[in-house]
Amino acid sequence: MSALIYKQRFSHPNHPKTAVSNYVHIGYIATRPGAVRHENMPHGLFGKLQPGQIHAFDSWQEVARIARQISKEGKNMYRSVISFRTETAQELGLNSFSEWQQYIEQHIATLAAHNRIKTENLCWAAAFHNEKDHPHLHIVYWDKSQTIMRNFTHPEIPNRIRKQLIKDTFAYKIKEFCMQRDQFKSGITEVTDQMIEEFEAYLKQLNPKTFKAFQSRFQNEDEDSLLHFPKHHLVEPTAVKELARQLFQLREQMPKTGRLAYKLLPAEVKISVDAVVQNSLQKNHYLSQMVEDYVEAKLQLSKLYTSDPDNLKKQRRKYQDEAEKRIANRVLTSIRTIIKLEKEADISIWQTHRQYAMAEQLLLELLSRMESLFMEAQLNYDDKAKIMGGDLSKLAKKEWLLRHKDQGMER
């Protein structure tokens, strides 16, 4: 296992789901819990779509739309990830968002060159995920001038990229290592693959336990699976314990007969379920953010049809209620599981660790589901906006003009 992880793949442009998949992938890396976001912006995507200065994109959607389009044109969008152990990142001075941005700007040319992409034709975007034990960058990139579709990348290419990144990133450390081994000659450019392997073996033996943990995280995962929600970092143990307690208290209030669906519950039980939902939103800011993103995406779609503030306010409340109802029904799914386990389990489900695991699983599934709903809403908006020709439909523009005309007459 390497001191530096580099993984790379792409979805074949001919596959019918590739264009949408690439769009969604960019949304995930830019907005998911754990992604470091730009100040006062709902995403953390940055990069270059043309030669020049690196910059934060106004929205992740502008990049996702381009990626979706180039996929339809048969161009390959590469998805990759670069990661270090936390201690290694700190030793390299990668302690802030801006330093990670500078790092990929310095090394993106290596990724392009090994994939035969000329610098002037390179388009790329990246997002930094500052997760515990494995801070990493997700990078997407493509050749805007590509004319021949690719269906295969030899595994040796990402391996060569990894080795070159190690040479460039750890240059000073490799020099020190070579000097200690009496093998240092004139320059770092003379370092061979064998020396890289020896250097990595040397790093591993310095701290075998942390390398083993690092290895288990990345050994069988690609850059897509690294977007899965790790259990640490997204949920606070105290919040999980509180949710577990609330779930089992809620179970005692459930009707003895009938189907457990939110719309069928007695009024007093609905109040209790709502309290659990609201507490979950208050205690987990990731879940709260996912709900807010979903509501905003749905509201964006409504704005294609109306610009009336009162109507939009009603729509916002409707979408918020819709999201909370989805959470409530998922809570009830957990309650049904508790009831089933009470009947079937050989050991008591009241054991603390089982309560905690059930509550934690509930929170993580809610995060994943709300994230998916947000992406579906955003895709729906993009499709409708393209058909209707802009941020406001003709109907919404007409409505806006009439309302302001009436207001002018009143004055």
Side-chain angles (χ1 to χ4, degrees):
M1 178 53 59
S2 173
L4 176 151
I5 299 295
Y6 178 77
K7 290 180 175 289
Q8 169 186 309
R9 67 180 288 270
F10 62 81
S11 297
H12 197 297
N14 262 350
H15 194 282
K17 294 185 178 180
T18 292
V20 170
S21 174
N22 284 340
Y23 179 104
V24 170
H25 179 82
I26 291 174
Y28 281 162
I29 68 173
T31 64
R32 72 168 292 264
V36 178
R37 304 186 180 199
H38 302 296
E39 187 175 358
N40 300 321
M41 298 179 74
H43 72 92
L45 206 65
F46 63 91
K48 298 180 184 179
L49 297 182
Q50 58 187 8
Q53 295 295 316
I54 188 174
H55 70 283
F57 296 106
D58 292 335
S59 70
W60 64 263
Q61 291 92 338
E62 67 174 294
V63 182
R65 289 169 190 144
I66 295 172
R68 191 180 183 190
Q69 182 58 39
I70 65 107
S71 299
K72 291 179 178 178
E73 295 171 358
K75 295 181 174 66
N76 297 83
M77 188 190 87
Y78 295 92
R79 308 176 184 183
S80 62
V81 64
I82 298 175
S83 180
F84 303 99
R85 291 180 303 131
T86 301
E87 311 91 278
T88 305
Q90 291 173 347
E91 290 175 7
L92 294 169
L94 298 175
N95 299 308
S96 69
F97 188 17
S98 61
E99 287 164 343
W100 279 87
Q101 288 176 298
Q102 292 170 14
Y103 177 84
I104 188 57
E105 184 177 23
Q106 293 167 358
H107 297 284
I108 189 67
T110 297
L111 279 60
H114 283 273
N115 285 287
R116 298 181 181 178
I117 302 175
K118 294 182 179 179
T119 304
E120 61 268 26
N121 296 326
L122 174 66
C123 298
W124 66 275
F128 171 48
H129 293 184
N130 192 22
E131 293 188 358
K132 183 180 178 181
D133 298 332
H134 59 281
H136 57 274
L137 280 166
H138 287 276
I139 312 105
V140 298
Y141 56 98
W142 62 88
D143 181 350
K144 65 182 180 183
S145 68
Q146 179 183 345
T147 56
I148 300 175
M149 187 185 304
R150 299 181 183 179
N151 58 13
F152 175 73
T153 295
H154 196 284
E156 185 57 28
I157 290 178
N159 189 43
R160 288 172 185 166
I161 292 174
R162 180 185 64 83
K163 289 181 178 180
Q164 187 60 52
L165 287 173
I166 290 174
K167 290 179 183 180
D168 298 338
T169 302
F170 296 96
Y172 71 100
K173 281 187 169 292
I174 295 176
K175 284 184 179 181
E176 291 176 357
F177 174 69
C178 291
M179 291 178 71
Q180 292 172 4
R181 296 285 304 274
D182 296 325
Q183 295 178 20
F184 179 70
K185 295 183 179 180
S186 60
I188 197 64
T189 56
E190 296 183 13
V191 174
T192 65
D193 288 349
Q194 179 183 354
M195 183 56 66
I196 291 294
E197 292 169 4
E198 291 178 8
F199 173 69
E200 290 185 306
Y202 165 73
L203 289 180
K204 289 179 188 178
Q205 61 88 23
L206 291 179
N207 198 336
K209 288 186 178 180
T210 56
F211 262 106
K212 187 175 181 179
F214 191 53
Q215 181 177 16
S216 66
R217 175 66 179 143
F218 286 93
Q219 189 170 30
N220 298 312
E221 298 192 11
D222 60 22
E223 82 298 332
D224 281 332
S225 63
L226 292 174
L227 293 172
H228 293 172
F229 297 104
K231 290 186 177 180
H232 62 263
H233 199 66
L234 291 182
V235 293
E236 293 291 335
T238 54
V240 176
K241 289 179 181 178
E242 184 174 351
L243 176 60
R245 178 183 58 79
Q246 290 178 329
L247 285 176
F248 282 84
Q249 287 181 344
L250 191 60
R251 183 265 172 275
E252 296 303 314
Q253 300 179 46
M254 290 297 111
K256 301 300 181 183
T257 59
R259 184 164 62 93
L260 288 186
Y262 183 80
K263 65 181 180 180
L264 301 178
L265 293 176
E268 64 274 13
V269 180
K270 281 186 178 180
I271 292 174
S272 297
V273 174
D274 291 342
V276 173
V277 172
Q278 292 303 319
N279 185 70
S280 298
L281 290 173
Q282 291 172 10
K283 297 296 184 181
N284 191 298
H285 71 275
Y286 291 120
L287 179 58
S288 179
Q289 182 64 58
M290 287 291 100
V291 169
E292 178 62 23
D293 288 346
Y294 169 74
V295 171
E296 288 298 324
K298 295 280 281 189
L299 200 62
Q300 194 177 25
L301 182 60
S302 292
K303 290 178 180 178
L304 292 175
Y305 300 91
T306 180
S307 62
D308 178 45
D310 291 336
N311 193 7
L312 290 174
K313 186 176 180 180
K314 291 178 182 178
Q315 291 294 314
R316 175 182 288 277
R317 183 64 257 174
K318 172 187 173 183
Y319 299 139
Q320 183 73 29
D321 290 344
E322 181 182 296
E324 291 176 7
K325 184 177 178 181
R326 287 179 181 272
I327 294 174
N329 276 314
R330 180 58 187 84
V331 168
L332 291 174
T333 299
S334 291
I335 299 297
R336 287 196 292 272
T337 300
I338 291 173
I339 294 172
K340 182 178 179 181
L341 287 173
E342 285 177 339
K343 297 177 180 178
E344 299 177 358
D346 293 330
I347 58 175
S348 172
I349 63 167
W350 294 92
Q351 291 178 350
T352 302
H353 71 277
R354 296 191 72 181
Q355 294 182 40
Y356 186 96
M358 184 176 294
E360 185 179 55
Q361 183 64 28
L362 168 59
L363 281 174
L364 294 175
E365 287 183 10
L366 286 173
L367 283 165
S368 181
R369 181 56 181 152
M370 289 312 305
E371 186 180 47
S372 296
L373 289 171
F374 163 57
M375 290 300 167
E376 289 173 12
Q378 186 60 56
L379 271 167
N380 192 21
Y381 166 78
D382 279 351
D383 289 340
K384 291 286 178 60
K386 186 175 181 180
I387 292 171
M388 300 171 74
D391 293 333
L392 282 175
S393 68
K394 292 181 180 179
L395 179 61
K397 290 175 182 176
K398 181 178 179 181
E399 179 187 274
W400 186 90
L401 289 170
L402 288 174
R403 189 174 68 255
H404 283 74
K405 180 180 179 181
D406 292 341
Q407 290 173 353
M409 291 175 67
E410 291 173 1
R411 288 194 294 268

